[in-house]
Amino acid sequence: AFFWLVSLLLSSLVWFIAVKASDPRDEPLQKGLLIFGVMFSVLLQETFRFLYYKLLRKAIEGLVALSEDGCSPISIQQMAYVAGVGFGLMSGAFSMINLLADALGPGTVGIHGDSQLYFLTSAFMTMVLVFLHTFWGILFFHGCEHRRWWEITAVVVMHLAVSGSTFCNPLYVGSLVPSYLLMAAAATWAYLLSGGSAQNLRRFLLCKS
Amino acid sequence: MTELSAHLPQFQHGQLTENFPDNHLSNTNDNSERRRHDNSERRRNDNPESETNGQPQNNIQQVVEQDEEEDEELTLKYGAKHVIMLFVPVTLCMVVVVATIKSVSFYTRKDGQLIYTPFTEETETVGQRALNSILNAAIMISVIIVMTILLVVLYKYRCYKVIHGWLIISSLLLLFFFSFIYLGEVFKTYNVAMDYVTVALMIWNFGVVGMICIHWKGPLRLQQAYLIMISALMALVFIKYLPEWTAWLILAVISVYDLVAVLCPKGPLRMLVETAQERNETLFPALIYSSTMIWLVNMAEEDPEAQRKASKNSTYAKQAPANQTRNEDAEADDGGFSQEWQQQRDNRIGPIESTPESRAAVQALPSNSQTSEDPEERGVKLGLGDFIFYSVLVGKASATASGDWNTTLACFVAILIGLCLTLLLLAIFKKALPALPISITFGLVFYFATDNLVQPFMDQLAFHQFYI
């Protein structure tokens, strides 16, 4: 969570500087700057995910060195999951919490002609992002572990795609549907990477031992 | 000679196992109160003794190494556990403060200032405002420094009665007066009708139970809850009565002061620590939040009650009542006490006092070393001043930030990460460390950064419904 926060900080610093340096009345430029800010932020987030992976790797090595039987008490997959959840939680919290606070107060949604589904779609979008961050965490760390660069690039590309798809908001079908599809894909991929399989799933669902 | 060798391995073994829980004590108690080096040195000092025996030396070397490894591993494991044990109360305190700030408007209304900050910030020019806030901060910090030095002097000259009286008065003030005001404001906010008799009864009960829990004995959870509550009350008072720029300046300066006072050889807090160490006493137990009761390493007794009594009787004349948060005066003292406590406290009660006893006991009962404290039971301690200043930072962030919840959340995460780092440093350096600087620095950086940089960005993103 802390790492995500730092990445957000740095990316907003960049955006802020860009905005201050530009003409505030030029609408398309501002929007363009915002888009640039978003893309930059995505890249920075993934960079920080990588840095976090490096840090956790060192920590695991330290733990392994100290433990008695040569294996660390927490596996890299668990750490990947936790890292993903941390990123997702922080991202979700920052996206949603002001919205929620305002939702507690009086008001009408979309009274000025904006979409009336604003809160709903925000909620769904945040949820899909949280899930995605979790899955991306697992995929990313797995890719780093096994030196499969294509996995890492796939994660980055997916992230960029999801963020990019939100640019068609308020045309929600353009952003929510692809995001959910991508989430399903990432979920199955992460599940398979973590050692799951169709048999496992069937056994779990049928409550066999 | 043979008898000597027969005893020595027992003694060695006993001492090593005794050191083992001692390490846990020191490590778990305050995350390495004692230096690990001290332990290993002590063991190595023992080894030359055993050299005369030759034979047991190898065993002992192996046991030493194994102990050191287990030691470190357990340090890490318990270190992580302690971090969690401290996260919960710090989080609770912050949650209480933020919840109050958001709902009860009394604490965000400007109703004047304390006499310690006489200069107003409602000035015409920015320069004037800056100057006033600097002067305010300077006055406040000098008051705190004077109070700390006074406390150190009183402690040095053994004027315990004065200190106790001071602490009792301040905790009385806090538990009765401030909580009465708080309750009144909460009732006003929620428009709850209440009569004086009920309020009197409630406040009386709350206050008396609080005094007993904090200054005497009481269930651990209740004592912890009370300490959290009084920290929150004190933080709320600060948030209300300190003007904007002054508050931020004070936070910054106090973390610098904390750093200086604890680490410099002539710093007042360090002198306090050393004096207490010389006297083999604990300072003010109730000034500190502790996650478990202090247990003396008392081999024969497993009974926690007896141990608690033993510790309280032997370490201090009466349980030092130390409401950290008594007046605005001496908070910083407490703030400074934070981590050293971890160090000295157990240092004193743990190793130094226990070892002679344990040695004697061990020689008598070689296999009984397990009856010493269960390492899990020893907890961590954090000074109440740290609670207060963390909560002041987060509370001010939630009260005055334009980014509102984003800023609050960012400061919260920053403070917790700072706390983690501080505990890590503590585990590495095994010295008295101040808990304020790292967390407050992170918190301040994140507050200003989030408020000014992230807030506009997130606003724009939310407006267009872009997601990053």
Side-chain angles (χ1 to χ4, degrees), chain A residues 122-176:
Chain A
S122 301
F124 277 114
M125 199 63 209
T126 311
M127 184 174 81
V128 81
L129 259 186
V130 171
F131 277 134
L132 274 173
H133 269 294
T134 315
F135 299 136
W136 285 335
I138 299 178
L139 294 172
F140 195 91
F141 277 44
H142 186 263
C144 289
E145 276 295 299
H146 299 268
R147 297 270 181 274
R148 294 203 206 147
W149 306 118
W150 60 274
E151 275 184 15
I152 299 175
T153 43
V155 168
V156 179
V157 164
M158 262 199 276
H159 196 168
L160 284 170
V162 168
S163 283
S165 71
T166 63
F167 294 151
C168 11
N169 279 336
L171 186 65
Y172 294 124
V173 71
S175 69
L176 279 177

Side-chain angles (χ1 to χ4, degrees), chain B residues 80-259:
Chain B
K81 191 174 173 194
H82 295 159
V83 169
I84 305 294
M85 280 204 272
L86 277 185
F87 268 18
V88 173
V90 172
T91 311
L92 272 178
C93 195
M94 288 196 227
V95 161
V96 168
V97 170
V98 171
T100 310
I101 295 269
K102 287 288 181 199
S103 54
V104 180
S105 64
F106 172 72
Y107 289 103
T108 38
R109 254 196 338 255
K110 236 178 130 32
D111 282 339
Q113 297 178 204
L114 299 170
I115 57 167
Y116 304 106
T117 53
F119 297 97
T120 176
E121 283 197 12
E122 317 281 334
T123 60
E124 297 91 36
T125 69
V126 172
Q128 185 70 19
R129 184 175 190 184
L131 184 67
N132 278 357
S133 52
I134 291 178
L135 288 173
N136 276 341
I139 294 178
M140 190 80 174
I141 295 295
S142 40
V143 166
I144 288 174
I145 293 180
V146 162
M147 288 298 167
T148 315
I149 294 184
L150 186 64
L151 194 70
V152 173
V153 161
L154 282 177
Y155 188 69
K156 245 186 146 83
Y157 293 109
R158 299 180 188 268
C159 310
Y160 295 141
K161 296 257 189 268
V162 178
I163 297 181
H164 288 179
W166 185 4
L167 294 174
I168 287 186
I169 290 179
S170 54
S171 56
L172 270 175
L173 185 75
L174 213 62
L175 279 172
F176 287 96
F177 186 56
F178 285 160
S179 51
F180 173 63
I181 293 181
Y182 179 78
L183 204 59
E185 292 304 323
V186 168
F187 285 150
K188 277 188 216 166
T189 307
Y190 291 107
N191 211 9
V192 174
M194 186 62 71
D195 55 300
Y196 275 118
V197 178
T198 315
V199 165
L201 209 60
M202 282 201 285
I203 296 289
W204 174 255
N205 281 336
F206 179 76
V208 168
V209 175
M211 291 299 282
I212 294 178
C213 264
I214 295 173
H215 297 268
W216 196 43
K217 303 179 208 186
L220 180 67
R221 289 284 176 226
L222 200 58
Q223 185 193 35
Q224 291 173 344
Y226 267 104
L227 289 175
I228 293 178
M229 280 191 270
I230 62 179
S231 309
L233 281 175
M234 202 62 220
L236 285 170
V237 166
F238 269 152
I239 294 174
K240 180 172 171 64
Y241 287 111
L242 284 180
E244 293 278 337
W245 292 16
T246 311
W248 299 115
L249 267 177
I250 286 184
L251 276 173
V253 178
I254 222 168
S255 27
V256 171
Y257 166 68
D258 201 21
L259 198 65

Side-chain angles (χ1 to χ4, degrees), chain A residues 32-122:
Chain A
L33 274 181
L34 198 62
I35 292 180
F36 158 71
V38 168
M39 291 295 145
F40 185 73
S41 175
V42 167
L43 292 173
L44 213 57
Q45 278 179 44
E46 297 303 326
T47 317
F48 270 84
R49 210 198 289 271
F50 183 67
L51 289 175
Y52 193 53
Y53 166 75
K54 283 269 179 235
L55 184 70
L56 284 183
R57 202 89 200 81
K58 285 219 171 64
I60 281 199
E61 281 164 19
L63 281 176
V64 165
L66 288 173
S67 77
E68 293 177 334
D69 49 2
C71 52
S72 94
I74 179 169
S75 74
I76 189 79
Q77 285 96 339
Q78 285 172 312
M79 284 199 178
Y81 174 70
V82 170
V85 169
F87 264 57
L89 275 179
M90 212 48 197
S91 143
F94 260 69
S95 311
M96 266 317 268
I97 199 156
N98 275 331
L99 233 60
L100 288 173
D102 285 335
L104 280 178
T108 311
V109 186
I111 196 168
H112 286 292
D114 302 308
S115 160
Q116 289 186 331
L117 298 171
Y118 186 74
F119 282 148
L120 272 176
T121 48
S122 301

Side-chain angles (χ1 to χ4, degrees), chain B residues 255-271 273-274 336 339-340 425-426 429 431-435 437:
Chain B
S255 27
V256 171
Y257 166 68
D258 201 21
L259 198 65
V260 163
V262 173
L263 294 178
C264 282
K266 274 303 172 193
L269 294 173
R270 186 150 172 175
M271 278 173 30
V273 168
E274 285 163 5
Q339 293 275 341
E340 18 188 287
L425 282 181
L426 202 59
F429 286 117
K431 263 176 61 162
L433 284 183

